[in-house]
Amino acid sequence: MALNTHLDHRNPLVFDTHELGRRPGALQRLTRTIDAPRDLGIQGVIGVPEGAPVELELRLESVMEGVLVTGTARARVKGECVRCLEPLEQQLEAEFQEMFSYPDADDRGRVKAEPADDAEEDEDRLFIEDGLFDLEPVLRDAVVLALPMQPVCQDDCPGLCSECGARLADDPDHHHDAVDIRWAALQGLAGSLEDGEKDEMSGAEAGVDEKQEK
């Protein structure tokens, strides 16, 4: 069984359920502002800066199986626009709901051995340990799901010029004269022919001059 180990009640993302009790239907509402842990978001794309404030609103409900936690996290996220590569900052609101199960215990408080068939299912479950639960894995999943995979500074961001890399939002009239590569090839050929004709004319004029001198 995948149980939390050595939860520290001083950790701001660890919550105590003792006050809630184990009577089904009991409710508790909590608000807490924490410092964002490291790598809260999509690494290298967008996320909540480490240490930035994250506002949490939680609703804890006691049920037969454990404690059902429903909540909302709010924070400012920072990243880079995928179109123009400029820094961006946005408000994030992530909602989540997770069940933290009570570990089944015998009359001496020890965790019972679970059947082997349930081992894989238990790996995906979160448990309450000594009345405490750790919200961090739930928060991380919720934030990642709420973040845009391709963040933009504004919905109509035109991005960068594909030819010179200029930021198009700064110069709406920015453009380059388009040249059809087929015409460019013909222009090059015409230029070569003109140069050849000039050389022939120069050669002919030189011949005439030589005859005149004789």
Side-chain angles (χ1 to χ4, degrees):
M1 180 178 293
L3 289 175
N4 297 323
T5 57
H6 307 300
L7 293 183
D8 186 352
H9 69 277
R10 294 170 297 182
N11 184 331
L13 283 170
V14 170
F15 291 82
D16 193 331
T17 65
H18 285 100
E19 184 177 339
L20 179 68
R22 295 188 62 162
R23 181 173 59 84
L27 294 175
Q28 184 179 9
R29 297 183 184 276
L30 300 172
T31 59
R32 183 179 296 182
T33 300
I34 65 154
D35 293 338
R38 180 181 301 177
D39 299 330
L40 183 58
I42 305 173
Q43 192 169 6
V45 180
I46 190 171
V48 184
E50 182 178 1
V54 179
E55 297 178 2
L56 299 174
E57 292 184 4
L58 304 180
R59 178 179 183 269
L60 280 56
E61 181 180 2
S62 179
V63 296
M64 291 294 295
E65 299 84 0
V67 175
L68 181 64
V69 179
T70 305
T72 303
R74 298 182 180 88
R76 298 290 295 179
V77 297
K78 294 184 179 182
E80 184 179 84
C81 177
V82 296
R83 296 179 187 171
C84 67
L85 307 182
E86 287 293 311
L88 61 83
E89 186 172 344
Q90 300 174 349
Q91 182 68 28
L92 171 78
E93 182 170 306
E95 297 182 347
F96 51 87
Q97 186 175 72
E98 187 66 45
M99 170 68 75
F100 289 86
S101 302
Y102 296 126
D104 293 330
D106 60 20
D107 56 357
R108 289 172 294 183
R110 295 182 304 187
V111 177
K112 291 181 179 178
E114 294 289 334
D117 294 342
D118 296 337
E120 291 186 3
E121 180 180 348
D122 285 344
E123 288 182 359
D124 297 329
R125 296 170 63 190
L126 296 174
F127 291 88
I128 293 175
E129 178 192 349
D130 297 330
L132 304 175
F133 68 86
D134 185 2
L135 190 66
E136 183 169 342
V138 178
L139 177 63
R140 287 188 178 279
D141 289 345
V143 168
V144 169
L145 290 175
L147 287 171
M149 297 299 294
Q150 294 187 320
V152 291
C153 58
Q154 53 189 20
D155 293 338
D156 58 349
C157 174
L160 302 176
C161 174
S162 59
E163 294 189 35
C164 68
R167 188 169 182 264
L168 298 178
D170 296 334
D171 184 8
D173 298 326
H174 180 86
H175 71 281
H176 295 270
D177 294 331
V179 178
D180 192 312
I181 58 174
R182 295 168 296 180
W183 288 112
L186 291 176
Q187 289 176 353
L189 178 61
S192 299
L193 292 175
E194 290 178 358
D195 291 341
E197 290 176 356
K198 289 179 180 179
D199 291 342
E200 290 179 359
M201 292 178 62
S202 297
E205 291 176 356
V208 171
D209 292 340
E210 288 179 356
K211 289 180 180 179
Q212 290 178 348
E213 289 177 358
K214 290 180 180 180

